[in-house]
Amino acid sequence: MTTAQTMRAVVFERYGPPSRLSLRKVPVPEPAAGEVRVQVFASTIGRTDTATLRAHPFFARAMTGLIRPKMTTLGMDFAGVVDAIGPEVTTYRPGDRVFGLSPDRFGAHAEFLCLPENEAIARIPADTSFKAAVVGEGAWYAHSTTSLLSKGQNCLIYGASGAIGTAAVQLAKSRDAQVTAVVGHRHLDLAERLGADRVVNYETQDFTGLGAIYDLVLDAVGKTSWFACRPLLKPGGIFCATDLGPGWSNMILGTWFAMTGSKRVRIPFPADAPGFIRHLSGLLADGRFNGVFDRSYKLEEIVEAFHYVETEQKTGIVVVNVRPEAEAEGEG
Ligand SMILES: NC(=O)c1ccc[n+]([C@@H]2O[C@H](COP(=O)([O-])OP(=O)(O)OC[C@H]3O[C@@H](n4cnc5c(N)ncnc54)[C@H](OP(=O)(O)O)[C@@H]3O)[C@@H](O)[C@H]2O)c1
C-alpha cells in the first residue's frame, strides 16, 4: 500500500495540440469496490491518445465529451504492480505484476490507475518485463481484423510497420494465415522478422500488381483505399481499414455495403478487451507475440512524445516510461 497522497499525472482540460498537456500533482485515486489500483511502471502513446487529445474525428466527442474532455488523463496501455485493492476484489493481491488496457477511462499517463478487476487486466507472464507488456492497444485493434481470418487463408497487410501493422502480422501468423506485408524500405527486415511470408517494398514495388489475390486486405495505416485494393480481393474477400479513408470513403462504403448485406468493406471496431488481454497474455507467455518498440519517453517529455507520434512515422509502439527507476533497478 502506498503512502503517497498525490501522484504525477499528465492532464489536459481542453482539446487541442500536445501543448495542452501538462504534468501535474493530483490526488492518488482510491480503488472502489471491485477495483484494483495499479502503480503504473509503463504506458504507451498510441494514435487513439493523439486523436482523443485533438478530438479527431469531431464525432468522437459524443463519447469523449462534447465541449471538454470527460477523462483528463490519457494512456490506454498500462503495465505495473497492484498497489491496493478495493473491497470484494478476489482475483488480485497487492504486489501482483499486471498489464492491460483502459479503453473507457484511459488514465495510464499517471503514476496510479484504478480499474475494475474484471476489466482488461491480466498478470504479466513471468519472463516478460513491464515495457514488453505494454503491447495491448495496437494489438487489440489488429485483432478485430485478424480474428476474421481462418487457418490457411491469406491476407495482405498494408503498412505493417506501425503499432497495428506489426501486431497484425504476428496475430495473423498465430492463426496460421499466410501474410504478405507491405512496408517501406527501412522496415523490410522487420516485416520478415515478424514472420511475414512475403514482404513488399511500397517505395519500389506496386503492391497492387503482385499477381496474387487475398481473402483479406488490411490497410493498417490509413494510406491506401478500397478502390486501390479492390482488384486484390478474392470473391467474398474483405477490405478492412483502421481509418475513415480518403473523403471518409471507408466509412461511407462500409455503411453502404452493410446496408446491402455485404461485409466487403469494414472498419472493424475492437470489442471484448478483457477477453483479448487474456488471449494476449497467453501469446506473450509462449513467445508468439513480441512488441515492436520505438522510442521511450519519461512523463516529463510527454509533449515531445505526442509530437513524435503525430509524425505518423513511428515504428510499432512508443513507450511512456512512467517509473524509470524500475528500468534502472532491472525491473523494466
Ligand atoms: N494505434 C491505435 O491504437 C489506433 C487507434 C485507432 C485508429 N488508428 C488508426 O490506425 C492507423 C494506424 O495506427 P498506428 O498507430 O498503427 O500507426 P503508426 O504506428 O503511426 O504508423 C506509422 C507507420 O506507418 C508507416 N507508413 C507511413 N506512411 C506510409 C505509407 N504511405 N504506406 C505504408 N506505410 C506507411 C511508417 O513507416 P514508413 O514511413 O517507413 O513506411 C510507420 O512505421 C492510423 O491511421 C490511425 O489513425 C490507430
Side-chain angles (χ1 to χ4, degrees), residues 46-48 137-138 141 158-159 161-165 184 186-187 202 220-223 242-243 309 312-316:
R47 296 283 293 275
T48 309
E137 186 190 2
Y141 282 96
Y158 184 86
S161 56
I164 296 179
R186 68 186 175 119
H187 291 122
Y202 74 80
V221 285
K223 302 285 185 191
T242 52
D243 226 316
V309 174
E312 304 185 8
Q313 292 298 309
K314 70 183 167 66
T315 301

Side-chain angles (χ1 to χ4, degrees), residues 33-210:
E35 287 187 351
V36 299
R37 182 169 69 199
V38 178
Q39 181 174 15
V40 181
F41 283 38
S43 182
T44 63
I45 302 167
R47 296 283 293 275
T48 309
D49 295 306
T50 55
T52 305
L53 174 63
R54 288 190 183 267
H56 174 80
F58 69 88
F59 59 75
R61 288 175 185 244
M63 287 175 291
T64 60
L66 278 182
I67 310 291
R68 287 175 183 268
K70 283 190 272 195
M71 53 277 191
T72 52
T73 294
L74 294 167
M76 218 202 252
D77 268 304
F78 65 87
V81 172
V82 174
D83 142 88
I85 56 173
E88 297 159 33
V89 167
T90 55
T91 316
Y92 297 100
R93 289 282 165 265
D96 287 346
R97 298 168 76 247
V98 292
F99 79 109
L101 280 176
S102 175
D104 300 326
R105 302 182 184 187
F106 290 73
H109 295 166
E111 289 177 317
F112 296 91
L113 162 80
C114 288
L115 76 166
E117 66 164 343
N118 56 6
E119 289 284 335
I121 177 169
R123 287 191 174 78
I124 300 177
D127 296 331
T128 305
S129 68
F130 292 109
K131 175 181 164 183
V134 282
V135 291
E137 186 190 2
W140 188 40
Y141 282 96
H143 174 73
S144 62
T145 290
T146 56
S147 60
L148 302 172
L149 285 164
S150 309
K151 185 174 179 172
Q153 286 193 316
N154 69 345
C155 66
L156 179 139
I157 297 168
Y158 184 86
S161 56
I164 296 179
T166 52
V169 174
Q170 297 182 74
L171 293 173
K173 288 310 299 177
S174 76
R175 300 180 74 85
D176 294 324
Q178 291 289 308
V179 176
T180 295
V182 184
V183 291
H185 184 77
R186 68 186 175 119
H187 291 122
L188 295 174
D189 288 347
L190 169 68
E192 210 165 294
R193 265 199 328 273
L194 293 175
D197 301 283
R198 184 175 186 181
V199 179
V200 177
N201 180 349
Y202 74 80
E203 293 172 85
T204 56
Q205 281 174 282
D206 174 9
F207 76 98
T208 64
L210 301 172

